[in-house]
């Protein structure tokens, strides 16, 4: 058996390629939308992808199930569990609890594990050439290394009301009914790692085991004591901010993401083409450089979406493709960087990239305004905006600041003052630069705190340090 984990550091998301060398067939679970890595893996091992499936209706990235099925002719499978309100809206084979996908000697069996979402499936993998018993659990957003999938996203991002409590109780029952009845040796391969907003304390380990989690996970004592209410309270406490784009991902994944087909690399655009498109309002320029370079000068009106490594995350914070339908032009170092940024953006449903440029020749320039910690009190801000997470803000913040995470700012403009200056800050400057660029495009006067909260803490510490006796 071949079992490969394909991990996206940008969104902390894992998909899995499970293949049988004897038959040359493979199934892919939880594919992302840019599918070249899966196709390349199949070619490298001389395999055909014959089945594609997913654990649930994802909220943090756009699923590649339909894309990969269309490219390979594979059969698409999705959950048929969860009741009528949680059925997929596109053609695919439905999997119910106990149903199996077979590729050669390998069986991938669905187990209904609701809680994170009502329709959630986990997949038990058995290598029939080696054993009659399952050895692996592709747990999706059910069980992570050291944590569980959060049950409150339907409330936080998908317009639900009070679903978090029922979801938490379902997670307790899924653990009791499914997970704790598995042998300790079963290896658990989760759908996310550290940094994902799909849980509050995800570990960075790529895998764990049923026995290890049974003994060491925070939820173990609650299950051993049968304390559902204590479990629910701890599970729901302190969950991170849910990014606003999750609502769009959830809806598009349920309806079925648009199939893109084979894409050519973004074309290089001339200075004249870029200038004409921007001047006529036909496109939006995206500066993909790091914020420290953008702060030295950028194109007026450009979004800052640093890439390629975090372009999906930052892009989904700064650009809503449903409200802004103009195509994006990427300011990038070269064509390979532009292609990689484009591929990351596809993962969050930002599909319309018309091309790239390496030049700003002839384009209006600006230097994003900043204020130092020393100057902050005299800045006269109408709002001091902390775009870090709720948890970071609770651990320490600048007095008088209001918290609204960078992934929610663009969708909560009614919470911002329309007159006066907004001073924004994050920990070091990157997230604030992304959010500030989006707010400026929306018409707000935004000044960034130079080097963020970390610099402010250093300044405050130096300011408040006692003066040594006899010091000059």
């Amino acid at each position: 058996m071949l079992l490969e984990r394909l991990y996206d550091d940008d969104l902390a998301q894992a998909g899995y390629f499970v293949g049988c060398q004897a038959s040359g067939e493979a199934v892919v679970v939880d594919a992302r939308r840019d599918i070249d890595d899966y196709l390349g893996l199949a070619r490298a091992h001389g395999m055909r992808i014959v089945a594609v499936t997913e654990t649930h209706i994802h909220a943090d990235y756009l699923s590649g199930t339909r894309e990969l099925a269309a490219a390979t002719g594979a059969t698409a499978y999705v959950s048929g569990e969860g009741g009528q309100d949680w059925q997929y809206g596109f053609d695919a084979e439905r999997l119910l609890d106990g149903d199996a996908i077979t590729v050669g000697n390998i069986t991938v069996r669905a187990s209904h594990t609701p809680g994170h979402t009502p329709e959630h499936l986990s997949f038990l993998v058995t290598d029939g050439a080696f054993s009659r018993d399952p050895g692996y659990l592709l747990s999706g957003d059910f069980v992570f290394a050291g944590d569980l999938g959060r049950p409150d996203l339907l409330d936080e991002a998908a317009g639900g009301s009070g679903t978090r409590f029922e979801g938490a109780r379902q997670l307790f029952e899924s653990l009791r009914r499914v997970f704790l009845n598995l042998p300790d040796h079963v290896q658990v391969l989760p759908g996310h790692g550290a940094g994902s907003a799909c849980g509050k304390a995800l570990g960075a380990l790529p895998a764990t085991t049923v026995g290890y989690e049974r003994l060491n996970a925070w939820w173990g004592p609650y299950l051993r004591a049968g304390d559902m209410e204590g479990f629910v309270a701890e599970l729901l406490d302190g969950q991170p901010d849910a990014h606003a784009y999750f609502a769009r991902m959830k809806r598009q994944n349920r309806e079925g993401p648009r199939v893109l087909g084979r894409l050519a690399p973004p074309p290089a655009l001339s200075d004249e083409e870029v200038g004409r498109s921007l001047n006529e309002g036909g496109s939006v320029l995206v500066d993909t450089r790091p914020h420290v370079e953008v702060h030295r000068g950028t194109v007026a009106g450009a979004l800052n979406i640093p890439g390629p490594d975090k372009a999906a995350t930052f892009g989904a914070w700064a650009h809503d493709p449903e409200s802004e339908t103009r195509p994006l032009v990427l300011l990038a170092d070269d064509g390979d960087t532009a292609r990689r940024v484009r591929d990351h953006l596809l993962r969050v449903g930002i599909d319309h990239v018309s091309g790239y440029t390496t030049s700003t020749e002839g384009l209006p320039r600006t230097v994003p305004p900043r204020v130092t910690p020393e100057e902050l009190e005299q800045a006269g801000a109408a709002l001091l905006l902390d775009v870090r997470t709720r948890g970071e803000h609770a651990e320490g913040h600048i007095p008088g600041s209001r918290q609204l995470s960078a992934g929610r700012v663009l969708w909560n403009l009614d919470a911002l003052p329309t007159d006066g200056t907004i001073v924004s800050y994050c920990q070091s400057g990157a997230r604030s630069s992304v959010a500030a660029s989006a707010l400026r495009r929306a018409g707000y006067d935004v000044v960034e705190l130079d080097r963020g909260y970390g610099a402010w803490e250093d300044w405050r510490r130096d300011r408040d340090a006692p003066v040594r006796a006899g010091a000059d």
Side-chain angles (χ1 to χ4, degrees):
M1 181 178 77
L2 174 72
L3 202 167
E4 291 274 357
R5 174 179 182 256
L6 293 96
Y7 194 71
D8 174 18
D9 287 298
D10 189 341
L11 297 169
Q13 181 267 331
Y16 295 91
F17 184 104
V18 185
C20 175
Q21 288 100 333
S23 69
E25 297 174 316
V27 55
V28 175
V29 180
D30 286 339
R32 63 177 186 260
R33 201 156 168 243
D34 53 316
I35 61 174
D36 283 352
D37 285 348
Y38 310 100
L39 299 177
L41 193 57
R43 284 194 301 269
H45 292 278
M47 291 183 173
R48 294 182 300 113
I49 297 172
V50 298
V52 188
T53 189
E54 57 191 59
T55 52
H56 64 292
I57 302 172
H58 297 284
D60 56 314
Y61 72 100
L62 209 54
S63 167
T65 293
R66 295 187 73 216
E67 194 73 38
L68 191 54
T72 61
T75 301
Y77 297 87
V78 297
S79 175
E81 295 284 0
Q84 189 58 42
D85 291 340
W86 290 98
Q87 296 303 300
Y88 285 79
F90 59 90
D91 289 337
E93 295 293 322
R94 267 40 180 182
L95 292 173
L96 301 177
D97 186 61
D99 288 346
I101 301 169
T102 300
V103 286
N105 295 315
I106 297 167
T107 302
V108 179
R109 190 171 302 279
S111 182
H112 185 212
T113 49
H116 176 68
T117 60
E119 82 291 349
H120 193 285
L121 300 176
S122 299
F123 293 102
L124 279 165
V125 180
T126 302
D127 181 1
F130 184 74
S131 172
R132 292 178 298 175
D133 301 316
Y136 307 88
L137 179 71
L138 307 184
S139 60
D141 288 21
F142 171 32
V143 176
F144 301 125
D147 202 9
L148 301 171
R150 61 191 295 182
D152 63 320
L153 278 184
L154 303 183
D155 285 356
E156 290 289 311
S161 178
T163 63
R164 67 188 67 203
F165 300 104
E166 177 60 22
R169 288 189 286 268
Q170 287 179 338
L171 265 178
F172 185 92
E173 287 300 321
S174 292
L175 288 167
R176 184 189 61 81
R177 176 181 56 85
V178 178
F179 193 80
L180 294 181
N181 282 316
L182 296 174
D184 282 350
H185 69 264
V186 170
Q187 189 170 359
V188 180
L189 303 171
H192 293 288
S196 169
C198 291
K200 63 180 177 180
L202 279 69
L205 293 173
T208 182
T209 66
V210 169
Y212 190 81
E213 295 302 307
R214 186 199 307 272
L215 290 173
N216 298 292
W218 66 262
W219 49 263
Y222 292 105
L223 269 293
R224 287 191 287 273
D227 182 5
M228 179 183 287
E229 293 312 309
F231 169 89
V232 169
E234 182 160 348
L235 176 61
L236 294 178
D237 182 54
Q239 289 290 352
D241 299 319
H243 304 311
Y245 82 91
F246 281 10
R248 176 171 59 85
M249 294 293 93
K250 180 70 75 172
R251 185 178 67 254
Q252 289 181 318
N253 278 325
R254 181 176 176 179
E255 295 169 353
R258 183 168 70 97
V259 175
L260 301 170
R262 191 71 179 173
L263 296 176
L269 303 176
S270 68
D271 294 345
E272 293 75 16
E273 288 174 312
V274 174
R276 183 168 60 253
S277 181
L278 294 178
N279 290 335
E280 295 174 356
S283 60
V284 177
L285 191 75
V286 172
D287 193 331
T288 67
R289 298 176 300 157
H291 72 282
V292 291
E293 296 183 33
V294 169
H295 283 165
R296 300 188 192 109
T298 185
V299 176
L303 290 175
N304 181 208
I305 301 177
D309 292 343
K310 296 294 289 184
T313 298
F314 291 145
W317 294 356
H319 179 71
D320 179 6
E322 292 186 322
S323 63
E324 172 58 271
T325 58
R326 287 176 291 182
L328 305 183
V329 173
L330 307 178
L331 174 60
D333 290 338
D334 50 46
D336 182 63
T337 300
R339 179 192 58 77
R340 293 169 62 202
V341 169
R342 190 275 312 274
D343 288 351
H344 278 244
L345 294 175
L346 294 177
R347 299 172 192 177
V348 289
I350 300 175
D351 297 349
H352 300 298
V353 173
S354 61
Y356 78 96
T357 180
T358 60
S359 168
T360 59
E361 185 70 29
L363 301 177
R365 300 279 294 175
T366 187
V367 176
R370 289 175 289 158
V371 62
T372 66
E374 295 89 342
E375 299 166 336
L376 183 58
E377 290 183 4
Q378 287 73 47
L383 173 66
L384 181 56
L385 181 63
D386 184 342
V387 300
R388 300 176 302 159
T389 65
R390 283 192 299 246
E392 289 174 294
H393 185 80
E395 289 175 1
H397 57 269
I398 300 176
S401 62
R402 176 177 179 180
Q403 187 273 334
L404 183 59
S405 65
R408 299 182 67 85
V409 165
L410 198 60
W411 288 263
N412 287 275
L413 298 180
D414 56 350
L416 305 179
T418 54
D419 296 321
T421 299
I422 297 171
V423 175
S424 67
Y425 73 91
C426 63
Q427 190 64 30
S428 62
R431 288 173 287 175
S432 178
S433 179
V434 173
S437 71
L439 287 176
R440 292 189 190 107
R441 277 198 61 82
Y444 289 83
D445 177 18
V446 184
V447 175
E448 298 166 55
L449 178 62
D450 191 28
R451 295 173 291 119
Y453 182 70
W456 181 86
E457 279 196 305
D458 292 341
W459 168 78
R460 183 192 62 176
R461 189 180 304 111
D462 292 343
R463 182 197 64 182
D464 296 342
V467 178
R468 291 183 293 107
D472 292 336

